[in-house]
Amino acid sequence: MQKGSKIYIAGHTGLVGSAILRHLQKNGYQNIITKTHKELDLTNQQEVKNFFEKEKPEYVFLAAAKVGGIEANNTYRADFIYENLQIQNNVIHQSYLNNVKKLLFLGSSCIYPKNAPQPIKEEYLLSDELEYTNEPYAIAKIAGIKMCESYNLQYKTNFISVMPTNLYGENDNFDLKTSHVLPALLRKIHEAKVKNQKHVEIWGSGNPKREFLYSDDMADACVFIMENINFQDLIKDKSEIRNTHINIGTGEDLTIKELANLIKKIIGFEGEFVFDTTKPDGTMRKLLDVNKLSKLGWKHKTSLDNGIKKMYDWYLKIYDK
Ligand code: GFB
């Protein structure tokens, strides 16, 4: 990827897409294309076809997706599978037809079996049953991985899939019904402090463990892979080429209860937590094995403590005027 290469970021207003945009701009990339949802509906085949034929991007970051936390995934099951399949199918297929040099497809750690051994290696994909709450989303993302792999094998494209762990950072979704746990707890604990409330509600038992990666680190990993790694570098067994995707995480996790206490300390809240066990826990643990990416030369930089502090500073500027 050259500084003048034509780069399309699909999903540039989202958590990861916006971090990739900032990262590329900071590193001197000058020819970046972005389109708002209004200008280009990625679920619309004809619109995506017209866009690729007109713009002819050389590199594509596919960070556009319908995403959400455990409740959103479980409630809007049809929307999660339909919209994600549409977006992927359109962008990946048009990237092939229009000779994109490299595409990076963003998946999620929920593609792995619910009871996968920990830490989760890339080859555990499709070895057992998925977690029910996010099965439709996971199936769409698995289809995306297999689509990239299959196009590479049949059409000699250079499409790479990355599987991030739970992400957080600037431009996160703070809607309490649809967000992920970290922004939800940050908002709930902040508001409880401001309103002098004694209790904050936490969904589930607080016992599930999660791994969290700061969105700027995720963007750094995506650009690193785009600049340095090709599909050929990811092939282990030439007779059966599969599991060529790359996990992206920190290799460290903590319980939801521990996360809540960490946020409580950072915000300076003095109340208590109450656990609503009518809400689902989801997968009990999904810690990624990040050895593949370490061997390729990348490691995360931001500790969870620092990441939450940065995110909270940003939140106060945007939401607490
Ligand atoms: O982040 P989260 O919504 O998604 O929830 P998943 C993680 C854990 O935090 C669950 C608990 O055990 C929740 O029950 N939790 C506690 C809360 N309080 C809250 C709260 O106020 N809000 C939320 N949202 N959770 C998603 C998948 O799974 O992770 C997606 O559904 C995707 O497909 C994404 O993979 C990264 O980690 O359980």
Side-chain angles (χ1 to χ4, degrees), residues 220-231:
D220 186 55
C222 289
V223 175
F224 170 82
I225 292 168
M226 203 57 134
E227 286 174 340
N228 299 296
I229 313 296
N230 292 305
F231 178 66

Side-chain angles (χ1 to χ4, degrees), residues 155-191:
Y155 297 129
K156 309 287 172 255
T157 49
N158 194 7
F159 297 167
I160 298 174
S161 301
V162 291
M163 297 305 121
T165 189
N166 290 36
L167 301 168
Y168 69 100
E170 290 179 26
N171 296 319
D172 217 327
N173 169 16
F174 291 89
D175 178 305
L176 295 180
K177 284 204 181 83
T178 58
S179 65
H180 289 99
V181 61
L182 201 152
L185 292 185
L186 193 119
R187 178 176 168 182
K188 286 193 219 176
I189 296 172
H190 169 75
E191 289 180 354

Side-chain angles (χ1 to χ4, degrees), residues 70 73 108 110 134 137 166 179 181 188 203 210 280-281 286:
I70 191 164
N73 268 268
S108 160
C110 70
N134 56 32
Y137 177 72
N166 290 36
S179 65
V181 61
K188 286 193 219 176
W203 295 355
R210 292 290 184 271
D281 271 341
K286 46 177 173 178

Side-chain angles (χ1 to χ4, degrees), residues 205-224:
S205 64
N207 297 326
K209 289 185 120 179
R210 292 290 184 271
E211 175 188 12
F212 296 94
L213 179 71
Y214 192 54
S215 60
D216 284 357
D217 281 1
M218 175 62 189
D220 186 55
C222 289
V223 175
F224 170 82

Side-chain angles (χ1 to χ4, degrees), residues 11 50 53 79 133 137 146-147 183 191 226 243 308:
N50 295 345
E53 286 173 357
D79 300 346
T133 51
Y137 177 72
K146 290 295 166 188
M147 194 160 168
E191 289 180 354
M226 203 57 134
N243 301 325
I308 296 174

Side-chain angles (χ1 to χ4, degrees), residues 174 186-187 190 311-320:
F174 291 89
L186 193 119
R187 178 176 168 182
H190 169 75
M311 184 170 167
Y312 188 49
D313 286 346
W314 179 86
Y315 177 87
L316 290 175
K317 269 190 228 137
I318 303 290
Y319 290 94
D320 198 51

